[in-house]
Every structure is written in C-alpha cells, then in structure tokens.
Amino acid sequence: HHLAVTPCNGDYKVVQAGGHRNLRGLGLAVQTAGHKWELVYPEYDIDWVGEPDKDKIPTILKFLKGNGELSDMHYDMRYDMKDGMIDPYNAGKMLAKLGRLTLIADQLDEPDIRDILLNRTRVRLSRWLDHTTKNLLIYDSTWGGVISCG
C-alpha cells in the first residue's frame, strides 16, 4: 500500500511478478535484504493543535465530561491492552486516542480532566517503554527498527 509514494529507482527493488497477498489484494513491492525503501509523502502545513469550531465546543464538552460514565474522560484501554497482551500497532492507536483526548481537555481549559488523561496515558505508555508488557518491544538488527517479539 506504500507503492504509490515509493520512487522506484536506485536501490529500490519492486517485484513485478509474484508479490504477496494481503487484505488490500496483491502487493508487488517486496522488501529484500540489501535494498531500502524511501517513502516520499507531500508536506502538508497542518497545525499541531487546531482551533475547534466555537459552535461545537458545547457538544465536545458534553462528550468529554457531561455524559456520565460514557464520557470520554473515563476512556481507558481494554484490560489486554493495558497489560500489553496486544500488538503495539493497535495499542498505539488506543494510546493516540488517550493523547488526543488529553490535548482536547487541555485546549478546552479542563485541567482536572487533562491531568487524569495525561496520567492514564503515562501509565499505559510506560508499560511499553519500561519493558513490562507481555509483548515486549525489541530491536530488529536484521532490518533495523523496533518490533514486538510476540
């Protein structure tokens, strides 16, 4: 799925026959030892934290804190994600949600909610960084980079 942003020249190798099947169909780009990929994405000028639409702030606040136990301020990862019994890709999505909710609370001047979410994010993320999950992160010396061992 990255083939569209991979310039196929130089040290790149794209297999024009064979490939591998995945959920998106047949993938022709295959990473092989001794070759490298550089993904070239266009640069977008996007603010880190945008300004919310003033008309939507009451609705955002309702779902952040005014919806009882269903409020986003109570959001947490599932038990298997908390313990790291899941792959880091999906856990990362849940950590990103916690981080985004933290930024929203901060931007809407809700320091108590921000601090609750920030602490929850810190605790969940530290499990991965402190090597205390059930699916440890390790360095792959063959391809380079961090992968999970499970």
Side-chain angles (χ1 to χ4, degrees), residues 1-9 11-20 22 24-31 36-42:
H1 61 276
H2 291 295
L3 193 54
V5 294
T6 305
C8 297
N9 54 28
D11 291 330
Y12 307 95
K13 183 172 184 177
V14 175
V15 178
Q16 296 301 325
H20 67 281
N22 58 39
R24 295 176 185 253
L26 179 64
L28 295 178
V30 177
Q31 180 71 299
K36 65 179 181 175
W37 285 359
E38 243 178 77
L39 305 180
V40 181
Y41 290 96

Side-chain angles (χ1 to χ4, degrees), residues 8 25 29-31 60 98-100 104 143 149:
C8 297
V30 177
Q31 180 71 299
I60 295 170
L98 275 171
R100 184 68 185 126
I104 290 169
W143 293 103
C149 67

Side-chain angles (χ1 to χ4, degrees), residues 13-124:
K13 183 172 184 177
V14 175
V15 178
Q16 296 301 325
H20 67 281
R21 295 225 172 262
N22 58 39
L23 293 176
R24 295 176 185 253
L26 179 64
L28 295 178
V30 177
Q31 180 71 299
T32 57
H35 291 88
K36 65 179 181 175
W37 285 359
E38 243 178 77
L39 305 180
V40 181
Y41 290 96
E43 290 187 24
Y44 298 103
D45 191 21
I46 301 174
D47 292 333
W48 177 247
V49 179
E51 289 294 322
D53 183 337
K54 303 266 186 253
D55 296 335
K56 295 181 180 175
I57 289 177
T59 303
I60 295 170
L61 283 171
K62 175 187 175 196
F63 285 96
L64 182 65
K65 66 177 186 174
N67 205 19
E69 287 300 312
L70 298 176
S71 297
D72 285 334
M73 67 179 284
H74 299 296
Y75 172 76
D76 200 356
M77 299 168 75
R78 286 190 334 240
Y79 74 95
D80 56 338
M81 293 180 185
K82 290 179 193 177
D83 289 338
M85 297 184 331
I86 189 171
D87 66 285
Y89 177 80
N90 287 310
K93 289 187 206 180
M94 302 299 103
L95 286 166
K97 181 175 179 177
L98 275 171
R100 184 68 185 126
L101 288 170
T102 304
L103 288 172
I104 290 169
D106 184 55
Q107 190 171 21
L108 296 179
D109 198 29
E110 294 289 339
D112 293 340
I113 296 171
R114 177 204 59 212
D115 292 346
I116 289 168
L117 292 167
L118 184 60
N119 187 57
R120 195 173 294 147
T121 303
R122 183 181 299 116
V123 168
R124 304 296 174 243

Side-chain angles (χ1 to χ4, degrees), residues 113-141:
I113 296 171
R114 177 204 59 212
D115 292 346
I116 289 168
L117 292 167
L118 184 60
N119 187 57
R120 195 173 294 147
T121 303
R122 183 181 299 116
V123 168
R124 304 296 174 243
L125 182 59
S126 68
R127 295 290 312 268
W128 291 95
L129 299 178
D130 295 340
H131 251 206
T132 58
T133 64
K134 308 231 188 249
N135 187 2
L136 300 176
L137 297 177
I138 58 173
Y139 180 76
D140 180 354
S141 59

